[in-house]
Structures are given as structure tokens and as C-alpha cells.
């Protein structure tokens, strides 16, 4: 089934999952540049955003008008969810995703995120309010259910579809599983059967083999990938090539990998400012080094503790291209 956004296909159906603190503008841009059908912003708390936390608005705003970007909102009050969606649409958002999957206690204690699986009537009111507030497509991201006794994603998805939701992404775990165990892709099939809008399978997809297995087990229309893309922003494009015939990405290695990582680093410093940027960038640099496998523990530590950006880049060169450094 083709996944559509306002009549245009979201192609290839390999999407970047929203991850707070990770899928910021620089990372989304990088993943999109290699090739992804959709990238999703970090979750924004609807009430806080509408009540004008300037930094939050700016963070959400940047890039939300970029084609094939969905902005994700979370909240527990229909009024604030609708207001947030309206504001985002007015600021250029082309797609709004509702978060009903976040298991974090600070979110579920506020009765938002995956806690809404326990109160489906209330969840529906939020969905209806958002759909009524905007003309752009509204999508839903949730889990299989709250726990093994309440695996109600199929019912919630069917009601969400009736309310006007255009796509449903399911992380194949319950809330109470957090990130433990393995994602149950076969269980996503029950959601696929319950709705006629596209369903996207998510959870533990780390490459073309697992993407294929998730699609086969679930019958989903596409896949969404989160942690697997850390340190390898080309992964989605690679999966899209292997499974959906998209153009093969040019995967950088050696000095070209260093160039790509350096560019990503500079983009993070620009986006966050140098002080915060140096700290935020560390997790990405760690993943790049882990993935490349070229840095020993000392080289890795040196990159991740250096404070001066120029020094970080110099150490990164040694960590990612040790052979070039010896030759030079
Ligand atoms: C650090 C982190 C932050 C996340 N933030 C969000 C979020 O803001 N909104 C959301 O719907 N899911 C969030 N998730 C869940 C992911 O979107 C995804 O559903 C989950 O990681 C499973 O997919 P994966 O195995 O491909 O990572 C987050 C996950 C991680 C690891």
C-alpha cells in the first residue's frame, strides 16, 4: 500500500523514527539527504510549546516545513493539542504526528504518551481535536498496548482511522516492556487487519534483513527506524535500496566518512551554538566511532572529552582515519 501525504507518495516507505534528543534538525537533514521517505521531529510538548517557550518553538520550527518531515506532538489535553497543531500548521508543518507511545515516566505520569492507551476514549478525543484543527495529514504513533493484558492498539488504530488519521506507526512492544525483550512484529499484523490506512512497523529494525522480516511478519506498508540509524545515517537509504529499489546510497568510508561526520558536527554547533553543541554532539560522535570500529578506547575517550571544537575535529580525524594519520 502506498503511503500518502496530501496525495503525494511518501516514498520509499522507510522512515526515520522520532527520538527526543537525537532526531534534531541536523540529524534529520543528514538522513534525508541520503534518502528516507519521511523523517519525524523530536516530540514537542503541546501545552509548553503553545505557552511560548521560545527555545522549544524554535527547535520545533526549524525544518518543519521541509518536505517529508512530520512534527510530533504530545500532550493530554485536547485544547492544547489542537492549539499546538494549529500553530505548527500555521508555521509551515506539512504533517503532524501524535505521540501515544512514549513510555517515559515523566510523560506517562502526565497522562500523555503511552498512558493514553489506558484511556482510549480520552485518547480519541485528543486525536479528533487535532484532526479537526488542521488540514494537513495527521498520523499516530503508538505501541501494541499498555501491557500484556491490554493490547488494544488494533482498536485504538481503527478508531483513530475513523477520526481521520492517515497513517499509524506501531512500535511492537507494550508500554510496560519499555525497551526490553524483542519487538513483536507479528503482533503488528492485528493492527494492519484492523485498519485500511497504511501501518508502519517499528522496533528493533537494524538492517535490510530485519526490515524484510518485520514487513513479512506484520504485513505493514513500511518500516520506521530509530536507534539503528545512529552512527549510520545512510541505513534507511540502504534498506530502501535493498527492499524497494531506491537508488543505492554512496556510503562514505575513510576520509569521506570523516568529511561527512565533520560536516554533521559543524551543523550541530551551528544549530545549538558552540557550548551546547559540543555536548549534544558527543553521542553522535560516539556512535560514529563505534560503527566505524577504527578508534581504540583512548582515542574514543579523547574525542568525547575534548572541549574545543577544533581539537575535537583533529582527534576525530585520528579516530576515524588512523591509517591516513600514520601515513601522513
Ligand atoms: C532516545 C530515544 C528517544 C525517543 N523519543 C521518542 C519521541 O520523542 N517520540 C516517539 O514517538 N518515540 C520516541 N522514541 C521511540 C522511537 O521512536 C522508536 O519507537 C523506538 O526506539 C523503537 O524503534 P527502534 O528499535 O528502531 O529504535 C525514542 C526512543 C529513543 C531510544
Amino acid at each position: 500500500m502506498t503511503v500518502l501525504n496530501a496525495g503525494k507518495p511518501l516514498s520509499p516507505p522507510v522512515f526515520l523514527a522520532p527520538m527526543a534528543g537525537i532526531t534534531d534538525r541536523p540529524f534529520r537533514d543528514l538522513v534525508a539527504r541520503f534518502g528516507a521517505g519521511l523523517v519525524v521531529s523530536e516530540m514537542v510538548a503541546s501545552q509548553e510549546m503553545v505557552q511560548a517557550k521560545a527555545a522549544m518553538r524554535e527547535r520545533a520550527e526549524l525544518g518543519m516545513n521541509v518536505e517529508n518531515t512530520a512534527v510530533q506532538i504530545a500532550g493530554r489535553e485536547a485544547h492544547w493539542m489542537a492549539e499546538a497543531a494549529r500553530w505548527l500548521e500555521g508555521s509551515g508543518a506539512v504533517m503532524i504526528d501524535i505521540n501515544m507511545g512514549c513510555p517515559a515516566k515523566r510523560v506517562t505520569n502526565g497522562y500523555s504518551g503511552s498512558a493514553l492507551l489506558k484511556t482510549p476514549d480520552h485518547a480519541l478525543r485528543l486525536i479528533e481535536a487535532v484532526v479537526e484543527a488542521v488540514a494537513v495529514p495527521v498520523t499516530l504513533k503508538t505501541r501494541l498496548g499498555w501491557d500484556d493484558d491490554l493490547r488494544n492498539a488494533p482498536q485504538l488504530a481503527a478508531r483513530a482511522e475513523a477520526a481521520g488519521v492517515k497513517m499509524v506507526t506501531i512500535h511492537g512492544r507494550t508500554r510496560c516492556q519499555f525497551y526490553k525483550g524483542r519487538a513483536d512484529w507479528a503482533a503488528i499484523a492485528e493492527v494492519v487487519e484492523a485498519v485500511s490506512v497504511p501501518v508502519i512497523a517499528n522496533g528493533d529494525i537494524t538492517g535490510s534483513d530485519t526490515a524484510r522480516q518485520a514487513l513479512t511478519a506484520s504485513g505493514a506498508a513500511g518500516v520506521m527506524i530509530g536507534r539503528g540509524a545512529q552512527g549510520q545515517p545512510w541505513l534507511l537509504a540502504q534498506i530502501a535500496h535493498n527492499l524497494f529499489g531506491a537508488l543505492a546510497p554512496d556510503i562514505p568510508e575513510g576520509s569521506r566518512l570523516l568529511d561527512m561526520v565533520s560536516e554533521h558536527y559543524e551543523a550541530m554547533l551551528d544549530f545549538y551554538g558552540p557550548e551546547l553543541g559540543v555536548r549534544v554532539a558527543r553521542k553522535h560522535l560516539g556512535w560514529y566511532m563505534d560503527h566505524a570500529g577504527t578508534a581504540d578506547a583512548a582515542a574514543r575517550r579523547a574525542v568525547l572529552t575534548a572541549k574545543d571544537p577544533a581539537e575535537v575535529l583533529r582527534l576525530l580525524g585520528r579516530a576515524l582515519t588512523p591509517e591516513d594519520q600514520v601515513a601522513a
Side-chain angles (χ1 to χ4, degrees), residues 74-121:
R76 61 183 162 141
E77 285 181 42
H79 167 74
W80 292 118
M81 296 283 281
E83 282 297 303
R86 215 172 274 128
W87 185 84
L88 289 166
E89 182 186 43
S91 307
V94 291
M95 221 172 168
I96 308 266
D97 185 57
I98 302 177
N99 177 336
M100 290 194 182
C102 184
K105 285 223 169 64
R106 72 185 157 76
V107 175
T108 52
N109 286 350
Y111 306 106
S112 47
S114 57
L116 290 160
L117 286 159
K118 284 203 291 191
T119 52
D121 291 343

Side-chain angles (χ1 to χ4, degrees), residues 126-148:
L126 302 188
I127 292 168
E128 284 164 357
V130 174
V131 171
E132 275 166 27
V134 294
V136 294
V138 176
T139 59
L140 174 69
K141 180 165 177 287
T142 187
R143 289 183 171 229
L144 294 174
W146 175 258
D147 60 16
D148 277 340

Side-chain angles (χ1 to χ4, degrees), residues 223-239:
V223 289
M224 183 176 272
I225 293 157
R227 293 165 296 173
Q230 293 168 175
Q232 39 176 353
W234 52 80
L235 181 74
L236 279 77
Q238 205 175 18
I239 293 173

